[in-house]
């Protein structure tokens, strides 16, 4: 099994099941002791902002704020630089613990030894 998991989530409220799956897999991996790096891109970028995850609803799914909290507690959450810029999101706007980084960092993480990368 990979010791590290890099997950890129591109979906947000526009594709709630795919979005929820990404956050759920990340949270379960963190709870299982896997080193997790979750990347927010595309429409999921909005979840880097305080309060936005609370607006997300999907029946029979864990609440998104709880999943994000568990990922931040033991993993890493990164907002894509270009996605943030397109939405005029800056480092001062995001939830504490969320960093903003670009494709070079994503590629570096995804290609590291003992790493599995998933895209939702």
């Amino acid at each position: 099994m990979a010791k590290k998991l890099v997950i890129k989530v591109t979906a947000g409220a526009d594709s709630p099941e795919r979005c929820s799956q990404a956050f759920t897999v990340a949270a379960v991996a963190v709870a299982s002791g896997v080193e997790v790096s979750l990347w927010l891109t595309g429409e999921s970028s909005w979840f880097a902002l305080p309060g936005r995850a609370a607006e997300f609803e999907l029946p029979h799914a864990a609440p998104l704020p709880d999943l994000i909290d568990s990922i931040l507690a033991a993993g890493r959450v990164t907002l894509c630089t270009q996605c943030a810029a397109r939405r005029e999101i800056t480092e001062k706007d995001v939830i504490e613990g969320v960093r903003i980084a670009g494709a070079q960092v994503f590629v570096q993480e995804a290609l590291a030894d003992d790493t599995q990368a998933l895209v939702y």
Side-chain angles (χ1 to χ4, degrees), residues 8 39 41 78-83 99-109:
K8 180 185 272 195
W39 283 73
T41 67
T78 305
L79 172 59
C80 162
T81 301
Q82 289 181 12
C83 299
R99 69 175 178 166
I100 297 177
Q104 178 183 359
V105 176
F106 174 79
V107 170
Q108 182 180 23
E109 286 185 9

Side-chain angles (χ1 to χ4, degrees), residues 36-109:
V36 173
S37 177
L38 178 71
W39 283 73
L40 305 176
T41 67
E43 286 302 301
S44 72
S45 299
W46 296 114
F47 299 128
L49 297 175
R52 292 302 280 270
E55 298 171 7
F56 181 86
E57 292 183 16
L58 181 63
H60 310 290
L64 200 56
D66 294 349
L67 296 174
I68 291 172
D69 288 347
S70 68
I71 298 163
L72 281 170
R76 173 181 286 155
V77 177
T78 305
L79 172 59
C80 162
T81 301
Q82 289 181 12
C83 299
R86 281 190 281 276
R87 290 160 181 81
E88 299 180 358
I89 299 171
T90 67
E91 288 184 357
K92 67 179 170 54
D93 300 319
V94 300
I95 298 167
E96 185 176 343
V98 173
R99 69 175 178 166
I100 297 177
Q104 178 183 359
V105 176
F106 174 79
V107 170
Q108 182 180 23
E109 286 185 9

